[in-house]
Amino acid sequence: MEIGLSNEAIQWFRDEVELKSGDKVRFYVKIYGNSPVQEGFSLAFTVDNEPIDIGVKTEIEGLTFYIEGSDLWFFNGHDLFVDYNKQWDELEFSYTLSK
């Protein structure tokens, strides 16, 4: 499993969440909502600079984006890609089968 982010998404995190070099963003599973990979669950994020058990991570421009090992089940063999939708001014999550 991999995590990818567009340049626009990274800039959004810097501008809107005010991330600075060294910060860590955790993507986590929340109950309710829907996603293409799990019915009844969706994905959220929080700034969490104290990970417990990183299952997968990517480091881009001094920022770390990660998923705890306990949340990997959610992805069901898919990679995560985070993009920014300018029209809606929000992040978009997409999922593709892992290679």
Side-chain angles (χ1 to χ4, degrees):
M1 141 141 235
E2 296 179 359
I3 303 170
L5 292 95
S6 69
N7 291 334
E8 294 80 7
I10 293 166
Q11 192 60 50
W12 184 89
F13 275 106
R14 288 192 183 281
D15 294 344
E16 298 298 322
V17 186
E18 299 181 355
L19 295 181
K20 60 190 179 310
S21 187
D23 281 339
K24 294 176 179 64
V25 174
R26 176 173 60 102
F27 295 105
Y28 66 94
V29 179
K30 66 178 188 172
I31 246 177
Y32 305 115
N34 276 319
S35 74
V37 292
Q38 295 292 340
E39 187 173 328
F41 296 91
S42 58
L43 199 60
F45 73 88
T46 187
V47 177
D48 185 348
N49 290 324
E50 298 182 21
I52 296 169
D53 177 33
I54 293 178
V56 65
K57 71 177 179 176
T58 189
E59 296 178 8
I60 304 171
E61 298 179 13
L63 304 173
T64 301
F65 299 89
Y66 73 96
I67 299 162
E68 291 282 357
S70 60
D71 282 336
L72 290 177
W73 65 269
F74 171 84
F75 297 92
N76 194 24
H78 291 78
D79 293 333
L80 170 65
F81 186 75
V82 183
D83 202 358
Y84 170 70
N85 182 318
K86 186 174 182 177
Q87 179 182 353
W88 295 100
D89 189 29
E90 64 185 28
L91 294 178
E92 291 182 331
F93 301 126
S94 60
Y95 309 87
T96 55
L97 281 174
S98 297
K99 296 177 185 175

XYZ file of all heavy atoms in Angstrom:
820
model
N 0.844 -1.176 0.000
C 0.000 0.000 0.000
C 0.886 1.235 0.000
O 1.930 1.253 0.642
C -0.886 -0.077 1.229
C -1.103 1.245 1.907
S -2.733 1.519 2.512
C -3.069 3.029 1.705
N 0.448 2.248 -0.734
C 1.189 3.504 -0.820
C 0.250 4.688 -0.604
O -0.954 4.580 -0.833
C 1.845 3.641 -2.194
C 2.901 2.592 -2.467
C 3.522 2.728 -3.843
O 3.119 3.645 -4.601
O 4.403 1.920 -4.161
N 0.839 5.788 -0.191
C 0.112 7.053 -0.053
C 0.739 8.037 -1.028
O 1.960 8.224 -1.017
C 0.232 7.629 1.373
C -0.272 6.636 2.412
C -0.512 8.960 1.468
C 0.038 7.038 3.840
N -0.079 8.667 -1.840
C 0.398 9.697 -2.756
C -0.402 10.971 -2.572
O -1.573 10.928 -2.181
N 0.216 12.099 -2.825
C -0.464 13.393 -2.725
C -0.068 14.259 -3.905
O 1.093 14.264 -4.313
C -0.077 14.127 -1.439
C -0.562 13.524 -0.137
C 0.487 12.649 0.477
C -0.996 14.606 0.814
N -1.025 15.012 -4.410
C -0.722 15.964 -5.473
C -0.029 17.180 -4.854
O -0.133 17.430 -3.640
C -2.007 16.412 -6.178
O -2.801 17.209 -5.315
N 0.658 17.941 -5.679
C 1.291 19.181 -5.215
C 0.249 20.135 -4.647
O 0.502 20.831 -3.658
C 2.060 19.859 -6.345
C 3.277 19.067 -6.751
O 3.841 18.309 -5.962
N 3.694 19.228 -7.995
N -0.937 20.157 -5.263
C -2.015 21.034 -4.788
C -2.497 20.615 -3.398
O -2.787 21.476 -2.560
C -3.186 21.029 -5.782
C -2.861 21.642 -7.122
C -2.108 20.711 -8.074
O -1.932 19.503 -7.765
O -1.666 21.195 -9.122
N -2.568 19.320 -3.157
C -2.983 18.837 -1.835
C -1.935 19.201 -0.778
O -2.278 19.629 0.329
C -3.217 17.329 -1.860
N -0.676 19.053 -1.118
C 0.388 19.412 -0.174
C 0.314 20.898 0.154
O 0.400 21.297 1.327
C 1.770 19.034 -0.737
C 1.892 17.516 -0.841
C 2.891 19.604 0.130
C 3.042 17.041 -1.680
N 0.110 21.723 -0.861
C -0.008 23.168 -0.626
C -1.225 23.480 0.234
O -1.180 24.342 1.099
C -0.071 23.934 -1.959
C 0.091 25.428 -1.783
C 1.423 25.792 -1.138
O 2.479 25.336 -1.568
N 1.382 26.605 -0.100
N -2.339 22.760 0.013
C -3.536 22.950 0.820
C -3.229 22.662 2.287
O -3.623 23.424 3.171
C -4.661 22.045 0.324
C -5.950 22.256 1.041
C -6.943 23.134 0.723
C -6.381 21.583 2.242
N -7.963 23.048 1.646
C -7.639 22.106 2.576
C -5.815 20.602 3.041
C -8.347 21.669 3.697
C -6.511 20.164 4.161
C -7.774 20.698 4.473
N -2.533 21.572 2.554
C -2.169 21.248 3.937
C -1.305 22.354 4.540
O -1.497 22.735 5.695
C -1.418 19.911 4.011
C -2.315 18.714 4.088
C -2.487 17.890 2.980
C -2.981 18.392 5.259
C -3.317 16.776 3.050
C -3.805 17.286 5.337
C -3.977 16.476 4.224
N -0.368 22.867 3.770
C 0.494 23.945 4.284
C -0.309 25.211 4.580
O -0.114 25.850 5.610
C 1.610 24.250 3.297
C 2.676 23.177 3.238
C 3.893 23.666 2.463
N 4.907 22.634 2.340
C 5.761 22.301 3.294
N 5.714 22.892 4.457
N 6.667 21.355 3.084
N -1.221 25.570 3.679
C -1.986 26.813 3.820
C -3.117 26.702 4.835
O -3.272 27.557 5.702
C -2.577 27.233 2.464
C -1.518 27.616 1.446
O -0.351 27.858 1.837
O -1.856 27.653 0.248
N -3.927 25.666 4.707
C -5.146 25.558 5.509
C -4.922 24.944 6.886
O -5.588 25.307 7.848
C -6.211 24.754 4.753
C -6.640 25.385 3.448
C -7.285 26.751 3.629
O -8.044 26.945 4.606
O -7.024 27.638 2.787
N -4.008 23.997 6.974
C -3.746 23.317 8.246
C -2.518 23.934 8.924
O -2.249 23.669 10.079
C -3.580 21.797 8.016
C -3.442 21.041 9.322
C -4.763 21.234 7.232
N -1.831 24.789 8.168
C -0.638 25.488 8.660
C 0.447 24.514 9.105
O 1.077 24.699 10.155
C -1.012 26.475 9.766
C -1.974 27.543 9.286
C -2.352 28.562 10.355
O -1.955 28.408 11.526
O -3.063 29.510 10.002
N 0.659 23.476 8.292
C 1.719 22.520 8.594
C 3.078 23.151 8.347
O 3.244 23.969 7.457
C 1.591 21.280 7.705
C 0.358 20.411 7.900
C 0.417 19.226 6.945
C 0.237 19.936 9.333
N 4.019 22.725 9.148
C 5.406 23.156 8.968
C 6.285 21.921 8.873
O 5.863 20.816 9.224
C 5.836 24.071 10.109
C 5.751 23.430 11.473
C 5.952 24.445 12.566
C 5.865 23.857 13.943
N 4.736 23.029 14.251
N 7.479 22.096 8.392
C 8.400 20.981 8.228
C 8.516 20.193 9.535
O 8.637 20.771 10.614
C 9.774 21.510 7.808
O 10.620 20.455 7.483
N 8.437 18.880 9.413
C 8.503 18.000 10.582
C 7.148 17.537 11.075
O 7.071 16.584 11.854
N 6.060 18.191 10.640
C 4.727 17.779 11.076
C 4.326 16.461 10.430
O 4.800 16.104 9.355
C 3.680 18.848 10.734
C 3.697 20.011 11.713
O 4.205 19.845 12.839
O 3.178 21.089 11.353
N 3.410 15.768 11.123
C 2.909 14.481 10.652
C 1.385 14.524 10.574
O 0.724 14.990 11.498
C 3.346 13.364 11.601
C 4.842 13.145 11.630
C 5.214 12.092 12.667
C 6.700 11.837 12.706
N 7.483 12.989 13.119
N 0.854 14.028 9.461
C -0.592 13.951 9.257
C -0.985 12.485 9.227
O -0.428 11.701 8.465
C -1.001 14.630 7.935
C -2.484 14.416 7.652
C -0.665 16.113 7.966
N -1.940 12.132 10.085
C -2.430 10.750 10.145
C -3.789 10.676 9.459
O -4.700 11.446 9.777
C -2.571 10.287 11.591
C -3.172 8.885 11.705
C -3.140 8.368 13.125
N -3.866 9.182 14.065
C -5.083 8.901 14.541
N -5.716 7.824 14.134
N -5.653 9.702 15.412
N -3.908 9.784 8.490
C -5.196 9.467 7.891
C -5.775 8.323 8.700
O -5.087 7.347 8.993
C -5.030 9.068 6.419
C -4.518 10.191 5.561
C -3.209 10.205 5.129
C -5.351 11.239 5.199
C -2.719 11.233 4.344
C -4.876 12.285 4.412
C -3.559 12.278 3.987
N -7.046 8.458 9.087
C -7.650 7.434 9.931
C -9.082 7.143 9.497
O -9.719 7.932 8.805
C -7.604 7.845 11.411
C -8.449 9.051 11.742
C -9.750 8.909 12.211
C -7.948 10.346 11.586
C -10.531 10.011 12.517
C -8.711 11.449 11.898
C -10.009 11.278 12.361
O -10.780 12.373 12.653
N -9.554 5.996 9.931
C -10.890 5.522 9.585
C -11.894 6.116 10.561
O -11.658 6.145 11.768
C -10.942 3.981 9.665
C -12.343 3.477 9.330
C -9.899 3.371 8.752
N -13.009 6.588 10.004
C -14.094 7.025 10.879
C -15.362 6.277 10.499
O -15.569 5.925 9.340
C -14.285 8.536 10.839
C -14.757 9.099 9.535
C -14.960 10.595 9.643
C -15.636 11.104 8.375
N -16.032 12.475 8.474
N -16.151 6.021 11.504
C -17.412 5.325 11.292
C -18.369 6.330 10.662
O -18.264 7.516 10.923
C -17.916 4.777 12.633
C -17.905 3.289 12.596
C -19.217 5.302 13.029
C -18.317 2.646 13.885
N -19.273 5.872 9.883
C -20.242 6.684 9.141
C -19.622 7.181 7.845
O -18.412 7.246 7.716
C -20.788 7.853 9.961
C -21.388 7.439 11.279
C -20.814 7.848 12.468
C -22.501 6.612 11.330
C -21.344 7.460 13.689
C -23.034 6.221 12.545
C -22.455 6.647 13.716
O -22.967 6.257 14.912
N -20.475 7.532 6.936
C -20.012 7.938 5.624
C -19.814 6.705 4.762
O -20.100 5.580 5.173
N -19.346 6.919 3.583
C -19.068 5.825 2.656
C -17.814 6.136 1.878
O -17.442 7.294 1.726
C -20.226 5.601 1.683
C -21.304 4.727 2.266
O -21.014 3.739 2.926
N -22.557 5.090 2.035
N -17.198 5.101 1.387
C -16.043 5.245 0.524
C -16.136 4.140 -0.520
O -16.874 3.174 -0.329
C -14.750 5.117 1.335
O -14.549 3.766 1.691
N -15.368 4.256 -1.589
C -15.397 3.203 -2.598
C -14.811 1.878 -2.112
O -15.027 0.850 -2.741
C -14.533 3.765 -3.733
C -14.351 5.205 -3.459
C -14.573 5.399 -2.004
N -14.091 1.890 -0.987
C -13.451 0.668 -0.515
C -14.129 0.048 0.700
O -13.939 -1.135 0.970
C -11.939 0.879 -0.231
C -11.191 1.117 -1.519
C -11.705 2.010 0.744
N -14.926 0.821 1.449
C -15.601 0.292 2.638
C -16.942 1.005 2.829
O -16.982 2.213 3.055
C -14.758 0.492 3.899
C -13.470 -0.261 3.934
C -13.643 -1.756 4.034
O -14.682 -2.267 4.427
N -12.601 -2.481 3.648
N -18.010 0.254 2.777
C -19.330 0.820 3.024
C -19.508 1.082 4.521
O -19.141 0.257 5.353
C -20.415 -0.150 2.540
C -21.797 0.445 2.601
C -22.834 -0.459 1.973
O -22.495 -1.177 1.015
O -23.969 -0.432 2.468
N -20.021 2.244 4.850
C -20.266 2.586 6.247
C -19.076 3.205 6.962
O -19.154 3.521 8.145
N -17.971 3.384 6.254
C -16.771 3.986 6.828
C -16.205 4.997 5.838
O -16.366 4.860 4.632
C -15.688 2.930 7.109
C -16.087 1.921 8.129
C -16.703 0.738 7.738
C -15.846 2.135 9.473
C -17.077 -0.211 8.673
C -16.216 1.185 10.424
C -16.828 0.011 10.020
N -15.533 6.003 6.367
C -14.872 6.975 5.494
C -13.520 7.338 6.100
O -13.153 6.863 7.169
C -15.751 8.214 5.296
O -16.064 8.817 6.528
N -12.811 8.186 5.395
C -11.457 8.549 5.788
C -11.429 9.988 6.269
O -12.116 10.857 5.727
C -10.522 8.377 4.579
C -9.037 8.272 4.861
C -8.725 7.073 5.744
C -8.266 8.172 3.557
N -10.636 10.237 7.291
C -10.442 11.583 7.825
C -8.952 11.757 8.098
O -8.171 10.825 7.913
C -11.248 11.766 9.106
N -8.566 12.944 8.539
C -7.164 13.166 8.880
C -7.061 14.061 10.102
O -7.985 14.789 10.455
C -6.391 13.788 7.699
C -6.724 15.225 7.449
C -6.042 16.243 8.109
C -7.721 15.571 6.568
C -6.365 17.571 7.885
C -8.049 16.888 6.333
C -7.363 17.894 6.995
N -5.905 13.982 10.745
C -5.590 14.843 11.866
C -4.080 15.041 11.899
O -3.336 14.205 11.394
C -6.083 14.233 13.204
O -5.898 15.181 14.253
C -5.348 12.948 13.539
N -3.654 16.133 12.469
C -2.222 16.319 12.696
C -1.898 15.538 13.957
O -2.494 15.756 15.011
C -1.866 17.813 12.863
C -0.381 17.974 13.174
C -2.239 18.587 11.605
N -0.993 14.580 13.833
C -0.632 13.714 14.959
C 0.865 13.442 14.884
O 1.315 12.597 14.114
C -1.419 12.408 14.892
C -1.191 11.509 16.101
O -0.247 11.780 16.888
O -1.936 10.538 16.253
N 1.624 14.191 15.646
C 3.076 14.083 15.622
C 3.627 12.988 16.523
O 4.833 12.905 16.730
C 3.708 15.432 15.969
C 3.508 16.446 14.861
O 3.531 16.106 13.686
N 3.293 17.695 15.228
N 2.722 12.157 17.077
C 3.153 11.066 17.943
C 2.531 9.749 17.504
O 1.682 9.191 18.189
C 2.797 11.390 19.394
C 3.510 12.640 19.893
C 3.206 12.955 21.347
O 2.792 12.039 22.091
O 3.397 14.115 21.718
N 2.962 9.232 16.356
C 2.405 7.958 15.890
C 2.690 6.821 16.864
O 3.673 6.857 17.594
C 3.092 7.719 14.548
C 4.182 8.718 14.446
C 3.990 9.756 15.482
N 1.811 5.826 16.834
C 1.966 4.664 17.701
C 2.582 3.499 16.925
O 3.559 2.911 17.344
C 0.606 4.253 18.304
C 0.089 5.387 19.199
C 0.712 2.951 19.085
C -1.338 5.234 19.634
N 1.972 3.175 15.781
C 2.420 2.026 14.985
C 2.163 2.324 13.510
O 1.135 1.915 12.963
C 1.670 0.760 15.419
C 2.038 -0.452 14.567
O 3.195 -0.541 14.115
O 1.153 -1.302 14.361
N 3.085 3.030 12.879
C 2.897 3.413 11.480
C 2.869 2.165 10.610
O 3.787 1.361 10.628
C 4.014 4.370 11.015
C 3.902 5.709 11.754
C 3.944 4.577 9.506
C 4.993 6.703 11.408
N 1.769 2.028 9.850
C 1.642 0.911 8.924
C 2.212 1.248 7.557
O 2.799 0.400 6.896
N 2.037 2.487 7.139
C 2.569 2.972 5.861
C 2.718 4.488 5.974
O 1.947 5.145 6.681
C 1.656 2.570 4.677
C 0.302 3.228 4.763
C 2.305 2.873 3.355
N 3.736 5.016 5.306
C 3.944 6.452 5.343
C 4.601 6.914 4.060
O 5.184 6.125 3.316
C 4.798 6.873 6.528
C 6.254 6.476 6.408
C 7.059 6.983 7.584
C 8.519 6.553 7.458
N 9.337 7.099 8.522
N 4.484 8.202 3.820
C 5.216 8.848 2.751
C 5.690 10.191 3.279
O 4.982 10.837 4.060
C 4.364 8.999 1.465
O 5.189 9.448 0.403
C 3.222 9.969 1.647
N 6.890 10.574 2.909
C 7.447 11.849 3.332
C 7.639 12.723 2.103
O 8.289 12.316 1.145
C 8.766 11.630 4.067
C 8.570 10.858 5.357
C 9.868 10.577 6.096
O 10.925 11.096 5.694
O 9.817 9.818 7.074
N 7.041 13.916 2.155
C 7.088 14.850 1.029
C 7.366 16.241 1.573
O 6.635 16.729 2.446
C 5.757 14.854 0.250
C 5.396 13.450 -0.236
C 5.824 15.824 -0.923
C 4.011 13.322 -0.813
N 8.402 16.872 1.063
C 8.730 18.263 1.413
C 8.775 18.488 2.920
O 8.260 19.482 3.433
C 7.734 19.219 0.758
C 7.747 19.170 -0.757
C 6.747 20.106 -1.395
O 6.188 20.992 -0.712
O 6.506 19.945 -2.609
N 9.356 17.552 3.655
C 9.504 17.701 5.096
C 8.271 17.346 5.904
O 8.267 17.464 7.125
N 7.208 16.899 5.242
C 5.980 16.497 5.921
C 5.841 14.981 5.825
O 6.216 14.379 4.825
C 4.761 17.148 5.271
C 4.774 18.667 5.183
C 3.588 19.158 4.366
C 4.760 19.284 6.575
N 5.290 14.374 6.869
C 5.042 12.934 6.873
C 3.538 12.706 6.875
O 2.817 13.275 7.694
C 5.669 12.262 8.105
O 7.080 12.500 8.094
C 5.411 10.759 8.111
N 3.071 11.869 5.955
C 1.670 11.472 5.875
C 1.643 9.974 6.136
O 2.380 9.223 5.512
C 1.110 11.797 4.491
C 1.150 13.263 4.171
C 2.265 13.815 3.568
C 0.091 14.090 4.505
C 2.327 15.177 3.278
C 0.146 15.448 4.228
C 1.261 15.994 3.609
N 0.799 9.533 7.078
C 0.851 8.122 7.465
C -0.511 7.564 7.849
O -1.479 8.305 8.070
C 1.857 7.914 8.592
C 1.417 8.435 9.938
C 0.831 7.584 10.867
C 1.612 9.763 10.304
C 0.440 8.044 12.123
C 1.235 10.236 11.543
C 0.640 9.368 12.447
O 0.245 9.834 13.668
N -0.531 6.237 7.923
C -1.692 5.486 8.369
C -1.200 4.498 9.417
O -0.201 3.804 9.202
C -2.344 4.734 7.188
C -2.804 5.730 6.125
C -3.508 3.869 7.675
C -3.048 5.125 4.765
N -1.883 4.467 10.538
C -1.529 3.506 11.588
C -1.835 2.085 11.103
O -2.780 1.872 10.326
C -2.332 3.783 12.866
C -1.956 5.064 13.580
C -0.679 4.954 14.397
O -0.086 3.858 14.466
O -0.279 5.975 14.966
N -1.058 1.144 11.563
C -1.248 -0.249 11.191
C -2.660 -0.748 11.463
O -3.210 -1.539 10.699
N -3.277 -0.259 12.535
C -4.628 -0.706 12.901
C -5.701 -0.230 11.928
O -6.832 -0.721 11.973
C -4.966 -0.247 14.325
O -4.908 1.166 14.404
N -5.388 0.720 11.044
C -6.360 1.223 10.070
C -6.124 0.709 8.650
O -6.870 1.048 7.732
C -6.353 2.756 10.047
C -7.107 3.364 11.214
O -7.990 2.689 11.775
O -6.811 4.520 11.559
N -5.122 -0.119 8.456
C -4.816 -0.601 7.105
C -5.935 -1.461 6.511
O -6.109 -1.515 5.293
C -3.489 -1.363 7.084
C -2.239 -0.511 7.280
C -0.999 -1.396 7.300
C -2.121 0.561 6.205
N -6.723 -2.123 7.350
C -7.827 -2.954 6.871
C -8.767 -2.166 5.962
O -9.335 -2.701 5.007
C -8.623 -3.545 8.039
C -9.324 -2.489 8.845
C -8.830 -1.842 9.943
C -10.619 -1.939 8.606
N -9.733 -0.908 10.404
C -10.851 -0.947 9.598
C -11.603 -2.161 7.659
C -12.018 -0.204 9.664
C -12.780 -1.420 7.720
C -12.978 -0.453 8.718
N -8.947 -0.892 6.268
C -9.886 -0.035 5.538
C -9.587 -0.007 4.044
O -10.499 0.052 3.223
C -9.818 1.389 6.111
C -10.584 2.410 5.317
C -11.936 2.587 5.504
C -9.938 3.201 4.375
C -12.644 3.540 4.776
C -10.628 4.160 3.642
C -11.991 4.316 3.840
N -8.320 -0.054 3.686
C -7.911 0.144 2.299
C -8.087 -1.094 1.432
O -8.071 -1.002 0.210
C -6.475 0.676 2.252
C -6.394 2.020 2.904
C -6.081 2.137 4.245
C -6.683 3.165 2.188
C -6.049 3.371 4.860
C -6.657 4.409 2.793
C -6.339 4.507 4.130
N -8.263 -2.251 2.037
C -8.641 -3.461 1.321
C -7.822 -3.676 0.040
O -8.353 -3.907 -1.031
C -10.138 -3.398 1.003
C -10.707 -4.731 0.569
O -10.166 -5.774 0.901
N -11.793 -4.692 -0.182
N -6.489 -3.543 0.164
C -5.612 -3.780 -0.979
C -5.490 -2.615 -1.948
O -5.060 -2.790 -3.084
N -5.858 -1.423 -1.509
C -5.817 -0.236 -2.360
C -4.774 0.764 -1.865
O -4.481 0.836 -0.671
C -7.178 0.470 -2.374
C -8.237 -0.303 -3.078
N -8.876 -1.377 -2.507
C -8.769 -0.154 -4.313
C -9.761 -1.852 -3.368
N -9.719 -1.128 -4.471
N -4.250 1.555 -2.796
C -3.395 2.695 -2.474
C -4.292 3.909 -2.302
O -5.400 3.979 -2.850
C -2.398 2.972 -3.605
C -1.379 1.862 -3.774
O -1.080 1.162 -2.790
O -0.875 1.703 -4.902
N -3.793 4.892 -1.571
C -4.516 6.143 -1.345
C -3.842 7.265 -2.123
O -2.619 7.398 -2.077
C -4.510 6.484 0.148
C -5.011 7.879 0.538
C -6.496 8.038 0.202
C -4.762 8.134 2.019
N -4.640 8.069 -2.815
C -4.130 9.280 -3.452
C -4.982 10.444 -2.984
O -6.220 10.386 -3.028
C -4.156 9.194 -4.979
C -3.500 10.384 -5.626
C -2.110 10.499 -5.637
C -4.252 11.396 -6.169
C -1.495 11.605 -6.196
C -3.648 12.506 -6.748
C -2.263 12.606 -6.755
N -4.328 11.503 -2.509
C -5.010 12.681 -1.993
C -4.788 13.825 -2.972
O -3.648 14.139 -3.325
C -4.466 13.068 -0.595
C -5.251 14.254 -0.035
C -4.524 11.876 0.354
N -5.885 14.439 -3.399
C -5.826 15.558 -4.325
C -6.639 16.705 -3.735
O -7.361 16.536 -2.758
C -6.374 15.149 -5.693
C -5.889 16.039 -6.825
O -5.147 17.009 -6.568
O -6.255 15.763 -7.985
N -6.524 17.868 -4.334
C -7.275 19.048 -3.916
C -8.224 19.442 -5.036
O -7.813 19.594 -6.187
C -6.325 20.201 -3.594
C -7.028 21.516 -3.400
C -7.822 21.732 -2.282
C -6.913 22.537 -4.341
C -8.481 22.937 -2.115
C -7.565 23.743 -4.167
C -8.350 23.935 -3.055
O -9.012 25.123 -2.882
N -9.496 19.597 -4.706
C -10.508 20.032 -5.665
C -10.722 21.528 -5.480
O -11.310 21.955 -4.480
C -11.814 19.266 -5.434
C -12.886 19.636 -6.433
O -13.075 20.791 -6.771
N -13.600 18.626 -6.907
N -10.215 22.307 -6.418
C -10.282 23.773 -6.317
C -11.727 24.266 -6.344
O -12.089 25.183 -5.606
C -9.484 24.398 -7.459
C -9.370 25.896 -7.360
C -8.451 26.450 -8.433
C -8.323 27.957 -8.272
N -7.391 28.526 -9.234
N -12.558 23.657 -7.177
C -13.960 24.084 -7.294
C -14.700 23.963 -5.960
O -15.454 24.836 -5.579
C -14.673 23.263 -8.366
C -16.133 23.625 -8.521
C -16.837 22.765 -9.551
O -16.210 21.972 -10.241
N -18.135 22.921 -9.656
N -14.463 22.872 -5.245
C -15.144 22.625 -3.970
C -14.309 23.072 -2.777
O -14.773 23.005 -1.637
C -15.494 21.148 -3.834
C -16.492 20.723 -4.863
C -16.236 20.069 -6.031
C -17.890 20.958 -4.836
N -17.395 19.868 -6.726
C -18.435 20.412 -6.019
C -18.747 21.582 -3.937
C -19.785 20.466 -6.311
C -20.100 21.630 -4.234
C -20.609 21.081 -5.402
N -13.058 23.474 -3.022
C -12.131 23.889 -1.968
C -12.039 22.830 -0.866
O -12.213 23.109 0.316
C -12.531 25.244 -1.371
C -11.468 25.791 -0.427
O -10.266 25.482 -0.624
O -11.831 26.517 0.528
N -11.774 21.598 -1.316
C -11.645 20.510 -0.342
C -10.744 19.410 -0.904
O -10.495 19.328 -2.100
C -12.999 19.924 0.029
C -13.717 19.267 -1.114
C -15.115 18.790 -0.743
O -15.754 19.364 0.155
O -15.565 17.815 -1.370
N -10.288 18.573 0.010
C -9.476 17.420 -0.392
C -10.364 16.335 -0.977
O -11.538 16.211 -0.599
C -8.729 16.846 0.814
C -7.673 17.745 1.441
C -7.070 17.045 2.649
C -6.596 18.116 0.440
N -9.786 15.551 -1.890
C -10.469 14.398 -2.449
C -9.573 13.184 -2.277
O -8.369 13.255 -2.526
C -10.748 14.580 -3.946
C -11.766 15.637 -4.243
C -12.056 15.747 -5.736
O -11.169 15.454 -6.559
O -13.179 16.151 -6.057
N -10.174 12.083 -1.835
C -9.447 10.835 -1.670
C -9.844 9.902 -2.802
O -11.029 9.727 -3.086
C -9.797 10.171 -0.336
C -9.498 11.027 0.866
C -10.475 11.288 1.806
C -8.241 11.562 1.059
C -10.192 12.066 2.927
C -7.951 12.340 2.179
C -8.932 12.592 3.100
N -8.842 9.294 -3.438
C -9.138 8.265 -4.439
C -8.319 7.032 -4.103
O -7.277 7.107 -3.443
C -8.866 8.769 -5.863
O -7.522 9.140 -6.012
N -8.808 5.896 -4.576
C -8.230 4.605 -4.216
C -7.997 3.792 -5.484
O -8.889 3.691 -6.321
C -9.178 3.852 -3.290
C -9.641 4.670 -2.107
C -10.755 5.492 -2.196
C -8.937 4.657 -0.920
C -11.180 6.265 -1.120
C -9.341 5.429 0.172
C -10.462 6.222 0.057
O -10.875 6.985 1.125
N -6.807 3.238 -5.625
C -6.520 2.358 -6.746
C -5.917 1.069 -6.191
O -5.274 1.083 -5.134
C -5.505 2.998 -7.726
O -4.332 3.369 -7.008
C -6.098 4.243 -8.390
N -6.146 -0.013 -6.895
C -5.609 -1.303 -6.440
C -4.094 -1.230 -6.330
O -3.420 -0.695 -7.215
C -5.994 -2.424 -7.405
C -7.410 -2.951 -7.247
C -7.740 -3.960 -8.342
C -7.608 -3.575 -5.878
N -3.568 -1.737 -5.233
C -2.111 -1.768 -5.025
C -1.473 -2.688 -6.045
O -2.049 -3.683 -6.458
C -1.780 -2.265 -3.616
O -2.289 -1.387 -2.655
N -0.244 -2.339 -6.420
C 0.486 -3.162 -7.387
C 1.161 -4.322 -6.701
O 1.538 -4.329 -5.602
C 1.524 -2.307 -8.094
C 0.880 -1.219 -8.899
C 1.922 -0.340 -9.543
C 1.223 0.822 -10.245
N 2.100 1.781 -10.786
